[in-house]
Amino acid sequence: MTSYKTQRRLSLIFRYTLLSILAVVWLIPIIWIVLASFSFNDTGFVSTFWPGKFTFSNYTGIFTSDQFPFVNWIINTLFVSVVSTILSTFVTIIVAYALSRLHFRLRKPFLQIALILGMFPGFMAMIALYYILKGLNMLNFGGLILAYVGGAGLGFYIAKGFFDTIPRAIDEAAEIDGATKWQVFTHIGLPMSRPIVVYTALMAFIGPWIDFIFSGIILSSSGNAKNYTIAYGLYNMLHSTKGVSTTFFTQFIAGCVIIAIPITILFIIMQKFYVNGITAGADKG
């Protein structure tokens, strides 16, 4: 019979081998994209994994292009993402805390309805949102931010699960000392829920930063490329050029690498809070 120590060693070897294979599968496309962004190519799509000639012209070209205002796209996206993050995080945390700490009539039916509505993707309502915003003359950044923030409250389940892990005795002790529910929330609830706040803010930032569906529907009606967000601008870079789209393919890849950098940096810096927030929130969510 095989000893327990041998079985454990074989199990570890199998697990690490499987994880190594999965890591390679995940990393190869990322490495290819980064290498392709430095590839000199004037004939069309990149056809080799390792560039035959390295160049920085793809990055300099996308920043100096007169046809595609990449800098304006970055500024627009940063504005929309930051404002949406602040408002969405506030709405989500407020809703989650209220549903976790306050008991009121129809609370349970609301949780059930919110769970069902959360199963449907938001872009199912994009045509209706377009005509609503068009009727309000808000086919601009304000309307786009409103669309992002409007559905933020339905993403409260993980945050609610995190708040459920905080002992209610702490709130009760503060209320006995004379604190109001708002003071309990701001002075006790928020400081103790930093991981879930960071997690919620990251998710709220990533959505507008990489989204091109809502931004394309809402902002494309202006016809002005300077009013696009970065994701829709890059999509439009290939879509609008049609027959000559391959000319801008390597610049498109360079733009994809650039927009991935802020998200990567945020995840590296906030990784500890992100993991704590999602694991603790999912425990009772």
Side-chain angles (χ1 to χ4, degrees):
M1 293 181 63
T2 306
S3 65
Y4 172 76
K5 186 178 293 185
T6 303
Q7 290 179 351
R8 182 176 176 82
R9 185 180 295 111
L10 291 175
S11 177
L12 288 175
I13 292 173
F14 173 77
R15 293 176 186 178
Y16 282 117
T17 302
L18 179 61
L19 289 174
S20 300
I21 294 174
L22 292 176
V24 171
V25 171
W26 278 92
L27 288 175
I28 284 179
I30 298 174
I31 295 173
W32 177 83
I33 289 176
V34 175
L35 291 175
S37 68
F38 291 101
S39 176
F40 177 80
N41 186 11
D42 56 357
T43 59
F45 293 102
V46 179
S47 58
T48 59
F49 183 83
W50 191 265
K53 181 180 179 181
F54 284 87
T55 179
F56 285 97
S57 61
N58 298 322
Y59 289 93
T60 57
I62 198 171
F63 278 104
T64 57
S65 174
D66 295 329
Q67 185 176 358
F68 305 108
F70 189 74
V71 176
N72 291 89
W73 297 345
I74 293 179
I75 295 173
N76 296 341
T77 309
L78 187 62
F79 170 75
V80 172
S81 299
V82 171
V83 176
S84 299
T85 298
I86 295 173
L87 297 178
S88 298
T89 302
F90 177 78
V91 171
T92 303
I93 296 300
I94 287 291
V95 172
Y97 186 83
L99 292 173
S100 174
R101 285 299 192 262
L102 303 181
H103 294 277
F104 48 88
R105 190 178 181 183
L106 300 179
R107 174 178 176 272
K108 187 174 181 179
F110 175 81
L111 290 172
Q112 295 172 342
I113 293 173
L115 181 63
I116 295 174
L117 291 177
M119 296 179 181
F120 296 93
F123 62 81
M124 290 181 62
M126 61 183 179
I127 302 301
L129 283 174
Y130 171 80
Y131 283 106
I132 291 173
L133 294 175
K134 183 178 180 180
L136 297 174
N137 196 24
M138 292 187 66
L139 294 178
N140 48 37
F141 294 136
L144 184 60
I145 293 172
L146 185 63
Y148 290 138
V149 177
L154 292 178
F156 65 84
Y157 262 94
I158 293 180
K160 176 186 175 297
F162 187 94
F163 284 121
D164 288 342
T165 63
I166 300 177
R168 294 179 180 271
I170 300 176
D171 298 1
E172 295 171 357
E175 291 176 0
I176 291 174
D177 290 337
T180 63
K181 292 189 180 297
W182 178 254
Q183 290 174 329
V184 173
F185 170 68
T186 55
H187 292 83
I188 298 177
L190 281 182
M192 295 183 65
S193 59
R194 185 180 303 174
I196 198 61
V197 173
V198 172
Y199 165 80
T200 305
L202 279 175
M203 294 298 99
F205 180 85
I206 291 174
W209 186 264
I210 65 176
D211 174 62
F212 76 93
I213 297 179
F214 278 110
S215 61
I217 292 293
I218 295 174
L219 300 178
S220 61
S221 60
S222 67
N224 187 357
K226 291 185 178 181
N227 293 332
Y228 296 161
T229 57
I230 193 169
Y232 181 70
L234 289 174
Y235 165 79
N236 193 63
M237 176 187 290
L238 296 185
H239 179 72
S240 63
T241 51
K242 296 187 182 301
V244 294
S245 61
T246 54
T247 306
F248 303 99
F249 183 68
T250 49
Q251 289 188 12
F252 168 81
I253 296 178
C256 293
V257 173
I258 292 173
I259 66 175
I261 292 175
I263 299 175
T264 304
I265 294 175
L266 283 175
F267 265 96
I268 292 175
I269 296 175
M270 304 296 185
Q271 183 179 13
K272 177 181 177 182
F273 297 109
Y274 174 82
V275 174
N276 290 341
I278 190 172
T279 53
D283 183 44
K284 292 188 178 181

